[in-house]
């Protein structure tokens, strides 16, 4: 997709600190981390929100997010997996992504 920032990271047109990549998925550090661990897992294809994603892809995304969370040190104390969706969900980049946040205690509920 033309001006999608995450598609540009997938294409290597803008830099991203990648932590994982395969044929379908990419994971990279969030540019504005909200916790000691904060990375994003995305499909390489442009899917705007979770509302357009099919079951198989969602399973792979979450499974990979969990696997990487453990590798990043969150297996013992846990972490948070977040998918913001559209306006009310606070989504700012319209390319489906799972946030993984950890390395500190996180407050609940969100504001
Ligand atoms: P959202 O608010 O859509 O759920 O989250 C978008 C996330 O993407 C934010 O946490 C933001 O910091 C991150 N982000 C926005 N632009 C870039 C970028 O160019 N590179 C990286 N690595 N992360 C970005
Ligand atoms: Zn995109």
């Amino acid at each position: 997709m033309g001006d999608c920032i995450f598609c540009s990271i997938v294409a290597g047109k803008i830099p991203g600190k990648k932590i994982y990549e395969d044929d379908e998925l990419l994971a990279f550090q969030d540019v504005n981390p909200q916790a000691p661990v904060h990375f994003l897992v995305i499909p390489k294809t442009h899917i705007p929100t979770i509302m357009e994603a099919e079951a198989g892809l969602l399973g792979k995304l979450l499974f990979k997010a969990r696997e990487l969370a453990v590798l990043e040190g969150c297996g013992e104390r846990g972490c948070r997996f977040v998918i913001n969706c559209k306006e009310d969900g606070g989504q700012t980049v319209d390319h489906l992504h799972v946030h993984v946040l950890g390395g500190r205690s996180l407050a609940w509920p969100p504001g």
Side-chain angles (χ1 to χ4, degrees):
M1 286 285 155
D3 58 355
C4 171
I5 198 145
F6 288 176
C7 282
S8 295
I9 292 174
V10 170
K13 291 179 187 159
I14 66 166
K17 288 185 186 165
K18 297 178 185 179
I19 60 173
Y20 176 80
E21 181 167 19
D22 63 24
D23 288 349
E24 282 182 286
L25 306 177
L26 178 67
F28 53 94
Q29 304 290 353
D30 196 292
V31 76
N32 183 23
Q34 301 301 310
V37 174
H38 188 181
F39 63 88
L40 306 172
V41 189
I42 70 169
K44 285 187 166 177
T45 55
H46 184 84
I47 297 169
T49 80
I50 191 175
M51 298 301 184
E52 291 83 29
E54 48 89 18
L57 174 68
L58 286 178
K60 287 178 190 171
L61 263 183
L62 269 185
F63 196 87
K64 185 54 67 180
R66 186 194 74 183
E67 194 173 86
L68 293 172
V70 171
L71 288 174
E72 295 291 313
C74 298
E76 189 77 19
R77 289 184 55 86
C79 58
R80 187 167 295 165
F81 302 90
V82 175
I83 301 177
N84 295 324
C85 180
K86 301 189 187 183
E87 291 90 338
D88 281 358
Q91 184 174 5
T92 60
V93 176
D94 293 333
H95 181 131
L96 173 61
H97 50 282
V98 181
H99 293 257
V100 180
L101 296 137
R104 68 172 172 87
S105 181
L106 298 162
W108 189 263

